[in-house]
Amino acid sequence: MRVTQGTRVAVTSEDAGKIKFMQNNKPAKPTQEPRSAYRALRPITTRWMDNDAYGHVNNVVYYSWFDTAVNAYLIEQGALDIHDGETIGLVIETQCNYFAPLAFPQTVDAGIRVAHMGSSSVRYEVGIFGEGELCAAKGHFVHVYVNALTRRPTALPEKLKTVLETLR
């Protein structure tokens, strides 16, 4: 079918979503952010094994830092009990953009914040900082909180929600 200007065509909601995606499919270019863009900072010491053959921290290590920074913060705040708690967070999505290399021996800071809090999920955003004011990398991951025994999604516990609010 050929549609000319001024012609009306019935469009399903599914097609409308596809059209909108096609119009807006150019994502914004990721940019570095300052330390002040994050609500909490945690130091992390690099290890010899973090470096790869190219002499910088390998990309997979950043994901470990994300997990370490967020979970350590939640444990310290009393919002997560990884041994005896009824609720645990499972990572269902993760992403990272890299701006500058980091290498052993170097201490880095992981900045954390909460970008979205749902009824059973949380999107954490993490910035990794070397010595400078701007992040060397930034990314996110999504935790879905589940019952530790059944592994079924569960509502965020009140203590966890209280702590997460400080990271918004």
Side-chain angles (χ1 to χ4, degrees):
M1 166 177 25
R2 182 176 176 176
V3 178
T4 59
Q5 186 174 2
T7 304
R8 292 185 154 202
V9 177
V11 177
T12 67
S13 61
E14 181 181 351
D15 289 338
K18 289 177 185 176
I19 292 168
K20 185 175 181 180
F21 174 78
M22 290 174 7
Q23 291 172 340
N24 301 320
N25 67 348
K26 185 176 180 186
K29 182 178 177 184
T31 59
Q32 290 175 285
E33 294 179 315
R35 292 172 186 269
S36 60
Y38 297 88
R39 304 290 293 175
L41 290 170
R42 297 197 46 81
I44 297 175
T45 304
T46 59
R47 306 162 303 170
W48 173 250
M49 65 185 269
D50 294 339
N51 280 4
D52 62 18
Y54 301 111
H56 63 265
V57 172
N58 188 271
N59 59 303
V60 299
V61 174
Y62 290 77
Y63 292 100
S64 175
W65 290 345
F66 291 179
D67 215 15
T68 296
V70 169
N71 285 308
Y73 184 83
L74 296 177
I75 291 166
E76 289 170 358
Q77 299 299 313
L80 180 63
D81 181 345
I82 60 172
H83 299 293
D84 299 316
E86 293 180 15
T87 304
I88 59 173
L90 301 179
V91 175
I92 63 157
E93 176 183 306
T94 188
Q95 177 270 329
C96 187
N97 294 104
Y98 306 92
F99 304 107
L102 298 170
F104 173 85
Q106 184 175 12
T107 298
V108 300
D109 289 319
I112 57 178
R113 66 184 177 218
V114 168
H116 175 76
M117 186 169 49
S119 60
S120 64
S121 66
V122 179
R123 178 186 163 112
Y124 297 97
E125 293 181 344
V126 183
I128 303 295
F129 297 87
E131 296 172 2
E133 175 61 22
L134 296 177
C135 63
K138 73 175 183 180
H140 76 269
F141 73 94
V142 176
H143 263 163
V144 170
Y145 285 88
V146 300
N147 178 282
L149 297 176
T150 67
R151 299 290 204 241
R152 300 296 308 154
T154 188
L156 300 174
E158 287 304 314
K159 175 65 176 177
L160 178 59
K161 287 198 286 190
T162 300
V163 171
L164 294 174
E165 283 296 333
T166 68
L167 296 173
R168 289 183 108 178

